[in-house]
Amino acid sequence: MKYLTLIIICSLLFACSVKKTGETRPNIVFIMSDDHAYQAISAYGHGLNHTHNIDRIAEEGAIFTKGYVTNSICAPSRAVMLTGKHSFVNGKVDNLQAFDWSQDNVAKQLQKAGYQTAMIGKIHIDGLPQGFDYSNVLPGQGQYYNPDFIENGVKKQYHGYCTQITTDIALDWLKNKRDKNKPFLMLYHQKAPHRSWMPEKKYLDLFEDSTFTPPANFFDNFENRPVAAEHEMGIWEHMDLVYDLKMLDDEGEIKTLYRGMGQRLYDRMDDEQRAAWDAHYKPIIADFKQQKPEGKALALWKFNRYMKDYLATIQSVDDGVGQVLDYLDEEGLAENTIVIYTSDQGFYLGEHGWFDKRFMYEESFRTPILMRYPNEIKPGTVVDGLVQNLDFAPTFLDYAETAIPEDIQGESFRSLAQGKTENWRDAIYYTYYEFPGEHHVQRHYGVRTDRYKLIHFYYDSDTWELYDLEKDPTEMNNLYNEPEYAEVQKHMHAKLLEVRKKYGDSDEIDQKNLQRYLDKKGI
């Protein structure tokens, strides 16, 4: 009897020890890149590039086919991820407004639950990150070459390429700085492939032998879409030859609006980096000056240069993902570690003739989400439910066996990743606020269901758009006020009112945020 009692006591002590050291609750590695279009991840099947390591997450876990954001712009998207709340609730509605770090976030919740937390790379939110035992982040947008980082509040410069440096810092924390007796949350965020798409030395020539065919709507005339027609994000019209496309000629003959910015990026490199850069770009500059493309030929030339640089920066991101996955495998951590790869939003790769994001159209509204957790998710799982970045925080808390605060607006997609689709949402809500501003995208909000999308543009416009995504996936045909869609339009208006009420949004809140923005810009 005494022997049996001793066995029971030892078993209980072991169970407590396991719980304390995090052996039952999963580690979480959250990988977020910046402006990584789902079209540029080979697992999504668009054939532009090969992202073997990112694909591996889907092959060994799940791929989400309807992942979306709530506000397609850098800092607000990250604030939503941290808080699990819409922009108009957490206060970070645009890139200008301050973010209140004193409010609750998922890292703070996990710290209370015994997790060790780290934030590494780009966050694009001013102030010392709160909720993290360790932080080493880029100031603002960061730089591709020889970037500055802020480690636990202390700024210092690193020599090398930003994507690899970010990966090295993440691996160093995993190997040497964390408490290995605790479960961990690591936010591992890359700057790439954010504008101005500066590739790593080893990948400068990666796509030089490739010619890319633009999307079918590259020369979009924006018929019946007057707000979209006012954009300032066209590859042909607005992409800068020097800042964006690296045509920084020695003679100074290529004069552009952002030439000075392009020069400063170049000057940041050391002699060895500039030598490799010049060896790649000077022949391209010479050929461009000789050919002097104009009109549509210039548009296609710019599109191809853009695609080659953009995709080359992604290759370095993919390398970093592979290094982290390999570490987890080698240390025996893979089985009990959740790995999620995503982007802060989608990005236009020539659709509608555009680069950048912001609009509620699919290419920027939608974001890649790939997830691996061998303990629960079967390899090759496809998740078709409507998921948003709003849902990351409650999902992390769910897996960590931690109560989800009532004021969090997102929902855990843990059951969805296991194939349980009952009672999941049938609509998602979107807002965008940064206007008047860069790229000239009007303020708007809208609702998307599995098939339809309703968008309302406002400020100095009162424009509605309705799309049937089943018949018109590229959103070229605005159906608003079309008689045959009258019932759909009525239903979508009701659905929009429903989600605005659900999340607590209103016209009054829109006007309040507009005035804050105008005051900040001095308009």
Side-chain angles (χ1 to χ4, degrees):
M1 187 67 180
K2 289 181 179 179
Y3 181 69
L4 180 60
T5 302
L6 184 61
I7 291 175
I8 292 171
I9 291 171
C10 289
S11 297
L12 289 171
L13 287 171
F14 177 75
C16 290
S17 174
V18 167
K19 184 74 174 181
K20 183 178 179 181
T21 58
E23 292 178 22
T24 58
R25 294 182 296 172
N27 306 306
I28 303 168
V29 175
F30 181 76
I31 311 171
M32 177 184 278
S33 54
D34 195 314
D35 293 343
H36 191 170
Y38 63 87
Q39 309 95 291
I41 293 178
S42 44
Y44 282 98
H46 291 263
L48 294 173
N49 58 340
H50 298 287
T51 51
H52 304 290
N53 295 302
I54 298 171
D55 291 359
R56 182 177 150 196
I57 298 172
E59 291 161 4
E60 299 173 4
I63 187 168
F64 291 67
T65 62
K66 292 187 178 72
Y68 292 87
V69 297
T70 62
N71 185 352
S72 184
I73 189 167
C74 299
S77 176
R78 295 158 194 273
V80 169
M81 176 274 295
L82 286 168
T83 63
K85 301 170 187 176
H86 275 278
S87 301
F88 53 86
V89 176
N90 69 51
K92 188 64 177 171
V93 297
D94 52 55
N95 277 337
L96 295 184
Q97 303 301 326
F99 177 72
D100 181 6
W101 276 108
S102 69
Q103 68 183 295
D104 204 5
N105 68 48
V106 67
K108 292 181 182 181
Q109 288 291 325
L110 289 175
Q111 272 187 327
K112 292 176 186 175
Y115 272 69
Q116 192 168 28
T117 59
M119 176 186 286
I120 295 159
K122 182 176 178 181
I123 187 60
H124 199 186
I125 297 175
D126 290 341
L128 182 67
Q130 294 185 26
F132 298 92
D133 300 299
Y134 177 81
S135 64
N136 201 344
V137 299
L138 293 162
Q141 292 287 1
Q143 300 287 343
Y144 274 106
Y145 279 87
N146 307 322
D148 295 323
F149 276 78
I150 303 172
E151 183 177 27
N152 295 330
V154 179
K155 186 175 180 179
K156 60 181 179 180
Q157 186 176 19
Y158 288 75
H159 181 268
Y161 187 69
C162 185
T163 305
Q164 186 58 57
I165 292 168
T166 304
T167 300
D168 290 342
I169 294 171
L171 289 170
D172 180 57
W173 184 80
L174 286 170
K175 294 175 182 178
N176 304 313
K177 290 187 170 67
R178 68 183 173 92
D179 181 347
K180 295 184 180 179
N181 292 315
K182 291 183 177 182
F184 63 83
L185 166 73
M186 183 177 76
L187 305 186
Y188 161 46
H189 292 183
Q190 294 288 9
K191 169 185 170 60
H194 191 279
R195 189 184 187 187
S196 60
W197 320 296
M198 297 177 72
E200 188 175 4
K201 175 184 174 181
K202 65 180 178 180
Y203 289 130
L204 284 168
D205 297 321
L206 183 62
F207 292 98
E208 279 313 303
D209 294 332
S210 301
T211 300
F212 294 95
T213 302
N217 60 359
F218 182 71
F219 293 109
D220 193 349
N221 64 7
F222 302 103
E223 181 180 357
N224 203 22
R225 287 161 290 140
V227 175
E230 296 174 353
H231 73 88
E232 294 178 359
M233 47 194 274
I235 292 173
W236 184 1
E237 310 97 310
H238 307 111
M239 187 170 278
D240 194 270
L241 282 168
V242 177
Y243 175 64
D244 291 319
L245 302 179
K246 331 300 188 293
M247 298 296 102
L248 185 66
D249 62 325
D250 292 336
E251 299 78 16
E253 295 171 347
I254 302 176
K255 301 183 187 301
T256 69
L257 182 62
Y258 298 125
R259 182 182 174 97
M261 292 171 62
Q263 182 71 58
R264 287 191 290 275
L265 295 178
Y266 178 79
D267 291 344
R268 194 174 183 90
M269 299 181 195
D270 64 23
D271 291 343
E272 182 181 347
Q273 293 164 343
R274 277 196 293 269
W277 192 265
D278 290 345
H280 175 74
Y281 284 106
K282 281 194 172 182
I284 298 169
I285 294 170
D287 183 69
F288 174 76
K289 293 176 74 170
Q290 182 180 5
Q291 297 296 328
K292 298 178 181 177
E294 297 180 349
K296 289 188 175 181
L298 175 61
L300 295 173
W301 181 90
K302 292 176 80 171
F303 168 73
N304 265 274
R305 284 267 28 107
Y306 162 49
M307 291 297 291
K308 290 173 182 181
D309 288 347
Y310 176 87
L311 295 174
T313 64
I314 288 171
Q315 213 62 38
S316 297
V317 174
D318 190 63
D319 287 349
V321 172
Q323 288 178 265
V324 171
L325 293 179
D326 288 347
Y327 169 80
L328 296 174
D329 288 345
E330 292 162 4
E331 295 298 311
L333 296 171
E335 288 296 314
N336 198 38
T337 299
I338 296 165
V339 178
I340 293 178
Y341 184 88
T342 189
S343 174
D344 53 354
Q345 60 258 329
F347 212 65
Y348 295 101
L349 302 184
E351 297 86 3
H352 306 287
W354 291 340
F355 65 104
D356 209 69
K357 55 263 185 177
R358 302 168 196 265
F359 280 107
M360 195 187 169
Y361 305 128
E362 288 293 285
E363 291 82 11
S364 56
F365 183 24
R366 184 177 166 191
T367 196
I369 302 176
L370 307 95
M371 179 178 181
R372 186 184 78 174
Y373 182 35
N375 280 348
E376 283 194 15
I377 301 174
K378 296 178 181 178
T381 295
V382 177
V383 180
D384 292 323
L386 292 165
V387 171
Q388 287 188 284
N389 57 345
L390 193 70
D391 302 322
F392 288 128
T395 300
F396 296 165
L397 295 173
D398 189 1
Y399 278 111
E401 303 171 19
T402 301
I404 299 170
E406 291 184 2
D407 61 351
I408 280 186
Q409 296 180 306
E411 301 174 43
S412 170
F413 53 75
R414 182 178 185 176
S415 61
L416 201 63
Q418 294 175 301
K420 302 170 186 176
T421 59
E422 59 271 14
N423 300 320
W424 191 249
R425 65 165 68 98
D426 63 357
I428 50 178
Y429 183 53
Y430 180 85
T431 58
Y432 176 78
Y433 300 94
E434 198 162 304
F435 183 87
E438 186 178 11
H439 297 302
H440 207 267
V441 177
Q442 286 261 3
R443 290 169 172 258
H444 59 287
Y445 57 83
V447 62
R448 188 203 195 278
T449 63
D450 191 57
R451 178 170 177 175
Y452 300 105
K453 183 185 294 182
L454 179 69
I455 309 172
H456 181 220
F457 293 95
Y458 65 98
Y459 179 68
D460 55 7
S461 170
D462 181 16
T463 303
W464 291 88
E465 294 181 359
L466 175 67
Y467 296 98
D468 183 340
L469 299 170
E470 184 177 290
K471 294 183 178 180
D472 179 26
T474 57
E475 295 163 292
M476 298 290 287
N477 186 18
N478 178 13
L479 299 167
Y480 199 79
N481 283 337
E482 290 292 327
E484 62 267 36
Y485 278 85
E487 284 303 312
V488 171
Q489 183 172 312
K490 181 180 178 181
H491 169 73
M492 291 300 289
H493 270 285
K495 182 60 70 174
L496 178 60
L497 289 173
E498 178 186 315
V499 295
R500 277 168 70 82
K501 182 178 180 181
K502 174 183 176 179
Y503 293 119
D505 200 10
S506 65
D507 290 345
E508 290 77 15
I509 291 174
D510 291 339
Q511 288 304 310
K512 180 180 178 181
N513 283 320
L514 171 60
Q515 192 58 55
R516 287 174 60 211
Y517 179 78
L518 295 176
D519 290 346
K520 194 82 172 179
K521 290 191 68 103
I523 297 176

